Amino acid sequence: MELPKRAQKLEWNLNTIIQLVTLIGVCAGGVTIWVNKGRDIEELQNWKAGHELLHKERLVEVKAIEARNEERFRSLESEVRKIDNLSYRLTVTEQSSTSTAAAIKDLQSLVSQQSGDLKVIKEILQRVEGGQLRR
């Protein structure tokens, strides 16, 4: 009778253990990198969507500000036209007041001249009356 063969003894040497630990480490690192890459890609896509939304909102704000500025510029242009019109009207008014002042000076000189003439006429009349009373 023969004795049954004994199963071989499972021997673990140092190289086998190092290779298994390395294999497990590489697998764990690969899974970790894969999970992190997926998470990073998702975060980037979320950031990109939020950033695009921010740009759209900012574009709307900028367009609104530009529209308000354009409206303000239009109103300022109309005000500037009014100012130009006012400066013309002021120039015309100054010329008119200058000519009115000259006319008033002429009138004053005529009135003073007439006043002198009236004094002369009064003196003549007084002399004539004085001459008539003596007769």
Side-chain angles (χ1 to χ4, degrees), residues 48-101:
K48 182 181 174 185
H51 195 69
E52 286 175 354
L53 181 64
L54 175 72
H55 275 287
K56 288 178 184 175
E57 290 173 353
R58 183 65 181 141
L59 182 64
V60 168
E61 290 175 9
V62 167
K63 292 296 181 182
I65 289 171
E66 285 177 359
R68 276 185 270 148
N69 285 341
E70 188 66 30
E71 188 63 33
R72 287 177 53 202
F73 290 147
R74 282 191 199 120
S75 66
L76 288 175
E77 285 175 353
S78 68
E79 292 298 320
V80 167
R81 285 188 201 114
K82 288 179 184 177
I83 290 173
D84 289 341
N85 188 19
L86 287 176
S87 64
Y88 169 74
R89 290 171 63 188
L90 182 63
T91 303
V92 169
T93 304
E94 287 174 347
Q95 291 172 351
S96 173
S97 65
T98 304
S99 64
T100 304

Side-chain angles (χ1 to χ4, degrees), residues 17-57:
I17 293 172
I18 291 173
Q19 287 177 356
L20 284 176
V21 169
T22 303
L23 180 63
I24 291 171
V26 168
C27 290
V31 168
T32 304
I33 290 171
W34 183 57
V35 168
N36 283 338
K37 184 184 83 159
R39 188 192 68 226
D40 289 346
I41 289 173
E42 185 178 327
E43 286 177 358
L44 281 173
Q45 287 174 342
N46 289 338
W47 178 84
K48 182 181 174 185
H51 195 69
E52 286 175 354
L53 181 64
L54 175 72
H55 275 287
K56 288 178 184 175
E57 290 173 353

